Amino acid sequence: MLEIINIDVGYGKETILKNISFDIQPQEKVVILGPNGSGKTTLVKAILGLLKPKNGSIKIFGKKIEEIQGETRLATNYPPVYSLLLVNVGDLLDLYINLKGGDIEYAKALINDLGLEKVLKRKLHQLSAGQRILVCNILAIASKPEFLILDEPFENVDPARRGKILNLLQNYQGAILLITHQLSVLSYFPDYSLYFIFEGKIYGPLRPLSKILDVYIHLKEVENPFLTIEVGGKKIHLSDKPGDYKLKDFIDITKIYEVLV
């Protein structure tokens, strides 16, 4: 479904993603967990064909990303995808969901359930950050694609609405790539595979995710670690042996830098 082989991605002379490879199979559900500035959104842009890799290849449904046009089996919540049309949210829902062959009545029901009726007459750029990501989540989910790509779907979302989005994803039928820095939501996805992304490098996969939340972070070498990650020029090791910190104690994975300073 998704095959990424040895890609380097960046802007100009700067390389953000370095020699990244991973794949996602049909129906597979994957979380990529990484701090702010680690390259998560750059990865999304590359998968969506908005940023061309310097090296390597990306294939979706067996086709190279540069050869794909009008693919309806994939949907994303990445806001710039929907910002090209300067129409109000109501018209955007009608247009996009119908183009994708999704369920417009389901989309409208989600708008009502999330208390977003008042935004239908506004344009996407006129919404708050939380409202914007919720609308984009709805646009992606209600399209009912085979492959759903979600970039920080809980960012700036209040707890009540975040719980409703979490419930939608728990029951979603199809492959999901969920990218986040919020470690606190991972307990909702015990059967997902987990990758880490730090400083443009991918580590993993670890599966099932339910077993990973109880692992310890070791700041010094430990025998037979599950995974070793380089962060800020230092190495941290994940193991089931008691260590310096428990992974699940970090609500936001960005906080890991604080213990390394």
Side-chain angles (χ1 to χ4, degrees):
M1 179 165 284
L2 173 67
E3 182 182 38
I4 296 178
I5 301 176
N6 302 128
I7 62 167
D8 295 328
V9 186
Y11 306 89
K13 294 182 179 180
E14 184 182 11
T15 300
I16 306 297
L17 303 178
K18 304 152 191 171
N19 196 34
I20 284 189
S21 297
F22 70 96
D23 62 78
I24 297 176
Q25 300 302 315
Q27 301 297 317
E28 186 178 4
K29 294 175 171 59
V30 171
V31 172
I32 294 182
L33 179 70
N36 295 329
S38 59
K40 300 190 302 298
T41 298
T42 299
L43 177 59
V44 171
K45 291 168 73 172
I47 294 172
L48 296 177
L50 301 176
L51 193 57
K52 186 177 180 180
K54 298 178 179 182
N55 302 297
S57 67
I58 300 174
K59 291 183 179 180
I60 298 179
F61 302 114
K63 289 185 177 181
K64 292 182 179 179
I65 191 69
E66 57 267 25
E67 298 174 355
I68 295 176
Q69 292 184 347
E71 178 58 73
T72 61
R73 292 175 291 174
L74 177 150
T76 180
N77 71 337
Y78 185 54
V81 170
Y82 305 104
S83 299
L84 298 175
L85 298 175
L86 296 178
V87 297
N88 64 42
V89 170
D91 290 340
L92 186 62
L93 282 169
D94 283 331
L95 177 62
Y96 188 80
I97 299 300
N98 285 320
L99 282 173
K100 286 285 191 177
D103 188 337
I104 188 62
E105 294 306 318
Y106 179 48
K108 291 177 179 178
L110 292 179
I111 287 284
N112 293 335
D113 188 41
L114 293 168
L116 295 171
E117 300 93 334
K118 293 182 180 179
V119 311
L120 291 173
K121 297 298 183 182
R122 301 180 197 166
K123 294 180 174 61
L124 202 59
H125 72 271
Q126 296 173 323
L127 308 185
S128 70
Q131 290 171 335
R132 186 162 51 249
I133 198 63
L134 284 169
V135 168
C136 292
N137 286 343
I138 291 170
L139 283 161
I141 293 169
S143 299
K144 296 187 175 180
E146 291 181 32
F147 185 24
L148 183 61
I149 300 174
L150 298 175
D151 183 30
E152 299 287 6
F154 316 109
E155 187 77 349
N156 299 305
V157 175
D158 63 87
R161 288 169 170 162
R162 181 174 59 198
K164 291 182 178 181
I165 296 297
L166 285 165
N167 185 61
L168 290 173
L169 297 182
Q170 285 178 312
N171 295 290
Y172 191 81
Q173 301 297 314
I176 296 177
L177 173 58
L178 192 162
I179 300 175
T180 184
H181 67 278
Q182 297 182 19
L183 199 149
S184 59
V185 303
L186 298 191
S187 61
Y188 290 86
F189 309 115
D191 298 324
Y192 280 39
S193 299
L194 175 66
Y195 291 84
F196 291 89
I197 183 168
F198 279 95
E199 298 165 3
K201 296 181 179 179
I202 284 276
Y203 301 87
L206 297 172
R207 55 173 74 96
L209 199 154
S210 58
K211 293 184 179 180
I212 307 307
L213 292 178
D214 288 325
V215 303
Y216 289 86
I217 294 174
H218 294 254
L219 302 182
K220 296 182 179 180
E221 287 191 17
V222 62
E223 187 177 355
N224 298 322
F226 294 148
L227 199 64
T228 297
I229 300 171
E230 188 169 334
V231 183
K234 300 179 180 179
K235 290 183 178 180
I236 63 172
H237 312 274
L238 301 184
S239 171
D240 57 357
K241 301 179 180 69
D244 298 287
Y245 302 92
K246 262 200 170 181
L247 179 63
K248 67 181 179 183
D249 291 338
F250 292 88
I251 296 174
D252 178 342
I253 196 63
T254 305
K255 299 289 185 181
I256 201 166
Y257 283 98
E258 295 178 7
V259 308
L260 295 173
V261 174

